[in-house]
Amino acid sequence: MKKISKRQWIGFCFWSLLYILFSLWMENLWLLLGLAVLADIFLTRFIPWGAWKRSKNSKVHDALEWIDDVLFALIAVYLINLFVFQNYQIPSSSLEKTLLVGDYLFVSKLSFGPRVPNTPISFPLVQNTIPFFNCKSYLDWPEWGYKRVRGTGTVKRNDIVVFNFPAGDTVALNMTNPDYYTLLAEYGRETILANKSRFGDVIYRPVDKRENYVKRCVGMPGDSLAIVDNRLFINGAPTEHPGKVQFNYYVETDGAVLTEEQFRLLDVSRSDRNLLSANASYRQLLAYLGFVPDQAGRFNPVYCMPLTAKALEMVRKMPTVRQVKIEKDEWSTVYPAGYHTGWTRDNFGPLWIPEKGATITLDERNLALYGRCIRNYEHNTLEITPDGKVLINGRLETSYTFRYDYYFMMGDNRHNSADSRSWGFVPEDHIVGKPILIWLSIDKDRNLFNGGIRWGRMFRTAHAD
């Protein structure tokens, strides 16, 4: 054995200390077996880890050096992405105007504690599908259970949270919106499986490979939540709206068309400027809503658009605006799909949010509200016998005790957000992290040289009001 230099000992001690601290953080002492590998890399060198550096062929040496650098960078980025933070782009308007479409965020995994990956063997920096190749980015085996290590805090009410889409455990690849369970209630399993050209293959995805969503946490474990005329109640008490919450309104003018400047003043994006009166198919709806046409059967311009409280006040002061009505929901499908509650998007609940260690009775209503939690999220078999008895994991049960905490998530763009009102609770094992910084913001309605980059939003914190 060659003499071990002082520099080798220093390198071994430094990296070993970091590795030991990481193993303790992961709460997995089996990882300490990796110290033997570090000892060989820095001290004994029985395995020729750097043999490629002795190649006399300069081209081979340069190629291997490049590969070595790339592999090191990929591993470093992969570990940072898993345990420290990841990049996330806001894809939809569900949280406007708190977070905007085109915002790029750093999402902290440390805020709530990073999860040990369910699918440890996966392609880095993609969620579930490798671009261009259109194939899975991960191997189904091994698949580890849920484990979260210590972070700097826990989820609190009104936090903005990134999480894996709970109803994304089963996906019809050609029709991902609405979710599979809504499709199931509407079409039935046999129709979905038989019509592959329309719905595509139906696949299962592990928790950490389900699509990432971002919403505001409005309901905590153990809360009783209700929505009455768009006002959120927690445990019977009304709550304040987030500062930039939006609702959809019908805005009728006296005949004038709103200008680009007015829309920008109201901060309404082009995709949200819906001029209903310009479409003949909306005439019946406008009449139903109480808008009156002239003698020729023509309606004044009527827009449907989301407005904050500030924008609503501005609209009402516009001299060309005749009347403003809030959009009322009478037709939307809400959770739980396929079970009639009489709830709507605007009037929802009361609904109790499951809490770890709490027990419920297994009656018909509770099975409808919490059956997915029992079956899909806590991985039990759940059967109803012909005489109405409940079997969980083959055993007759009259009650169930939850193993996870659950949360209720909503978007600030209340009338344009597919959230817990649509697909239910978010289990604790689906929580990814907390947005902490907007590092880039691009306005899709403008080009890069005319306001396309929102400079005023860059390097701002992304947090709850």
Side-chain angles (χ1 to χ4, degrees):
M1 182 183 297
K2 294 182 180 180
K3 183 179 178 180
I4 300 174
S5 68
K6 184 178 179 180
R7 182 178 180 181
Q8 288 175 267
W9 277 112
I10 292 174
F12 171 72
C13 292
F14 174 77
W15 288 105
S16 294
L17 178 61
L18 291 181
Y19 187 77
I20 290 170
L21 292 174
F22 177 78
S23 301
L24 294 174
W25 186 39
M26 292 292 106
E27 300 175 354
N28 187 348
L29 297 182
W30 286 104
L31 291 175
L32 294 178
L33 295 176
L35 289 172
V37 176
L38 287 176
D40 188 60
I41 291 174
F42 287 96
L43 305 177
T44 58
R45 297 180 178 175
F46 288 126
I47 299 175
W49 302 96
W52 59 270
K53 295 180 180 179
R54 296 191 292 271
S55 174
K56 296 181 180 179
N57 188 316
S58 60
K59 291 184 179 179
V60 172
H61 181 278
D62 293 344
L64 291 174
E65 188 175 40
W66 181 83
I67 293 173
D68 181 69
D69 291 341
V70 169
L71 286 175
F72 179 82
L74 284 176
I75 292 171
V77 169
Y78 180 63
L79 291 175
I80 291 171
N81 190 69
L82 279 179
F83 299 113
V84 184
F85 66 82
Q86 73 178 62
N87 179 55
Y88 182 77
Q89 178 190 359
I90 299 294
S92 70
S93 62
S94 67
L95 266 173
E96 291 200 1
K97 294 294 188 272
T98 306
L99 295 175
L100 306 181
V101 174
D103 281 350
Y104 289 79
L105 312 172
F106 284 140
V107 176
S108 168
K109 301 287 187 74
L110 299 175
S111 295
F112 306 135
R115 298 172 300 179
V116 175
N118 302 110
T119 49
I121 303 177
S122 62
F123 194 83
L125 305 182
V126 295
Q127 184 60 20
N128 48 48
T129 305
I130 299 177
F132 306 110
F133 297 97
N134 199 30
C135 62
K136 288 196 309 184
S137 64
Y138 58 94
L139 296 183
D140 294 314
W141 186 91
E143 184 175 337
W144 296 341
Y146 168 58
K147 181 179 180 181
R148 187 182 299 276
V149 299
R150 191 180 300 276
T152 60
T154 57
V155 179
K156 296 180 177 61
R157 193 186 314 280
N158 284 326
D159 277 348
I160 295 176
V161 180
V162 174
F163 56 92
N164 296 115
F165 180 40
D169 55 350
T170 306
V171 180
L173 290 178
N174 287 359
M175 193 178 292
T176 57
N177 188 20
D179 63 82
Y180 174 76
Y181 297 98
T182 302
L183 295 176
L184 203 62
E186 184 173 351
Y187 297 101
R189 188 184 309 275
E190 292 76 16
T191 300
I192 295 172
L193 295 178
N195 197 345
K196 187 173 289 189
S197 61
R198 181 181 181 186
F199 297 99
D201 291 326
V202 176
I203 65 167
Y204 167 82
R205 283 176 177 162
V207 172
D208 62 341
K209 294 305 175 186
R210 296 167 194 172
E211 295 296 340
N212 286 327
Y213 275 34
V214 58
K215 309 286 181 186
R216 185 184 297 274
C217 177
V218 299
M220 300 291 289
D223 282 347
S224 178
L225 177 146
I227 300 170
V228 181
D229 292 333
N230 294 308
R231 174 67 69 178
L232 178 66
F233 287 75
I234 298 294
N235 301 322
T239 64
E240 292 296 323
H241 287 314
K244 297 180 181 178
V245 72
Q246 291 191 137
F247 297 98
N248 282 355
Y249 293 89
Y250 298 107
V251 179
E252 181 189 23
T253 72
D254 60 4
V257 177
L258 297 182
T259 66
E260 178 71 20
E261 289 73 18
Q262 287 174 314
F263 280 123
R264 289 191 180 183
L265 185 65
L266 299 172
D267 202 11
V268 177
S269 67
R270 289 177 183 172
S271 60
D272 287 331
R273 304 170 190 176
N274 301 307
L275 181 57
L276 303 186
S277 54
N279 191 329
S281 62
Y282 285 110
R283 288 178 180 174
Q284 188 174 356
L285 172 64
L286 293 175
Y288 173 79
L289 294 172
F291 296 103
V292 180
D294 61 18
Q295 293 182 347
R298 294 187 298 265
F299 288 91
N300 286 329
V302 178
Y303 296 88
C304 181
M305 54 187 176
L307 299 171
T308 63
K310 180 180 178 181
L312 177 62
E313 184 180 356
M314 294 168 62
V315 163
R316 285 176 169 159
K317 292 179 179 179
M318 289 181 177
T320 58
V321 171
R322 292 185 58 181
Q323 59 177 320
V324 181
K325 299 181 179 183
I326 192 168
E327 179 187 271
K328 294 185 178 180
D329 173 54
E330 299 177 6
W331 306 284
S332 63
T333 300
V334 296
Y335 180 83
Y339 184 79
H340 180 70
T341 57
W343 301 344
T344 68
R345 174 197 67 190
D346 303 336
N347 292 278
F348 185 92
L351 175 66
W352 177 76
I353 303 171
E355 181 179 25
K356 184 187 299 183
T359 300
I360 58 169
T361 56
L362 295 175
D363 55 30
E364 178 190 355
R365 187 175 180 83
N366 279 345
L367 286 171
L369 295 176
Y370 307 110
R372 189 188 297 178
C373 301
I374 297 170
R375 183 188 297 110
N376 297 56
Y377 305 149
E378 303 200 357
H379 309 295
N380 301 286
T381 61
L382 176 61
E383 303 173 69
I384 311 297
T385 64
D387 57 352
K389 291 183 171 57
V390 180
L391 298 177
I392 295 181
N393 300 324
R395 297 179 56 181
L396 184 65
E397 302 285 357
T398 59
S399 63
Y400 181 79
T401 301
F402 290 99
R403 299 199 299 267
Y404 287 163
D405 281 329
Y406 291 81
Y407 302 88
F408 199 92
M409 307 287 183
M410 289 177 64
D412 290 355
N413 196 0
R414 293 289 167 84
H415 286 171
N416 297 293
S417 174
D419 50 36
S420 286
R421 293 169 295 177
S422 303
W423 36 255
F425 310 104
V426 176
E428 63 176 86
D429 68 328
H430 284 58
I431 301 295
V432 174
K434 182 178 183 178
I436 56 173
L437 182 71
I438 302 170
W439 65 271
L440 178 64
S441 185
I442 297 177
D443 188 341
K444 67 181 186 303
D445 290 343
R446 305 188 187 188
N447 62 56
L448 292 179
F449 304 102
N450 183 29
I453 298 178
R454 304 184 186 105
W455 296 102
R457 293 185 63 80
M458 290 177 60
F459 302 108
R460 286 178 50 186
T461 57
H463 54 73
D465 291 331

